[in-house]
Amino acid sequence: MIKTNAIRIIETAKVAYKAYEFNLTEAVDAVTLAGYMQKPPAQVFKTLVTEAPDMQHGFNHFVFVIPANKELSVKKAAQAAGVKDLSMLPLKKLLPLTGYVHGGCSPVGMKKKFPVYIDETAILFDTFCVSGGKIGLTLELNAEELAQAIGAKFADLTLD
């Protein structure tokens, strides 16, 4: 297994993790990935990057980590981030901004440090799963330990 930035950061922070690696040539959705791992979709999270029209608190990009089977509530996300408006980052901007490709975007180890918000349901599980920073690589770890390591906050982020 190739060590990604995400894995190096997790190991440096001494956060215990289990890596799942699948030989995928292109991105699959997080629900499909949950099936590969034989985990409930509510325990496997996807990473979404958004942008605000103006700089807010020194940032105009925000990262949200939500369950595979849910949709981001832009209204709740904006409220959590303390901004008036958010929109999904256009796909063509993802790699240049984060260093990650679609389907391999991790909340850990982006090119720049952006505010990260994890859906509060993550703490209902002993461990949850997030991308390890490349297509086909998923990390299973404790949500609170991850949040502490990367400075993430928990919030209600999904549509009901």
Side-chain angles (χ1 to χ4, degrees):
M1 174 178 55
I2 296 172
K3 284 200 179 181
T4 61
N5 284 342
I7 289 176
R8 283 190 280 278
I9 291 167
I10 295 297
E11 288 180 347
T12 298
K14 300 193 180 340
V15 174
Y17 71 93
K18 178 179 179 182
Y20 295 84
E21 194 164 21
F22 302 97
N23 189 17
L24 302 174
T25 55
E26 58 185 42
V28 297
D29 65 75
V31 172
T32 301
L33 206 53
Y36 292 165
M37 294 187 307
Q38 300 180 338
K39 301 270 184 198
Q43 190 177 0
V44 177
F45 282 49
K46 54 190 172 186
T47 303
L48 305 172
V49 182
T50 63
E51 60 184 359
D54 303 311
M55 292 289 272
Q56 303 282 323
H57 314 292
F59 294 97
N60 68 329
H61 294 95
F62 301 87
V63 178
F64 297 95
V65 183
I66 65 169
N69 60 344
K70 297 286 186 173
E71 282 186 59
L72 182 69
S73 165
V74 177
K75 183 178 180 180
K76 288 179 182 178
Q79 186 175 26
V83 298
K84 291 181 184 175
D85 190 29
L86 283 175
S87 60
M88 294 304 299
L89 184 74
L91 194 53
K92 67 182 178 189
K93 291 184 176 180
L94 186 65
L95 179 59
L97 182 72
T98 67
Y100 290 130
V101 298
H102 177 69
C105 187
S106 177
V108 184
M110 292 186 181
K111 280 182 170 182
K112 296 178 184 174
K113 188 162 174 48
F114 300 113
V116 177
Y117 298 87
I118 302 171
D119 189 74
E120 63 192 9
T121 60
I123 60 176
L124 299 176
F125 300 96
D126 290 337
T127 59
F128 82 135
C129 301
V130 297
S131 173
K134 71 176 193 132
I135 292 174
L137 179 62
T138 300
L139 305 178
E140 181 177 356
L141 38 86
N142 179 275
E144 291 172 296
E145 289 178 16
L146 174 65
Q148 184 174 0
I150 64 172
K153 298 177 182 174
F154 292 98
D156 177 10
L157 300 171
T158 61
L159 296 173
D160 294 327

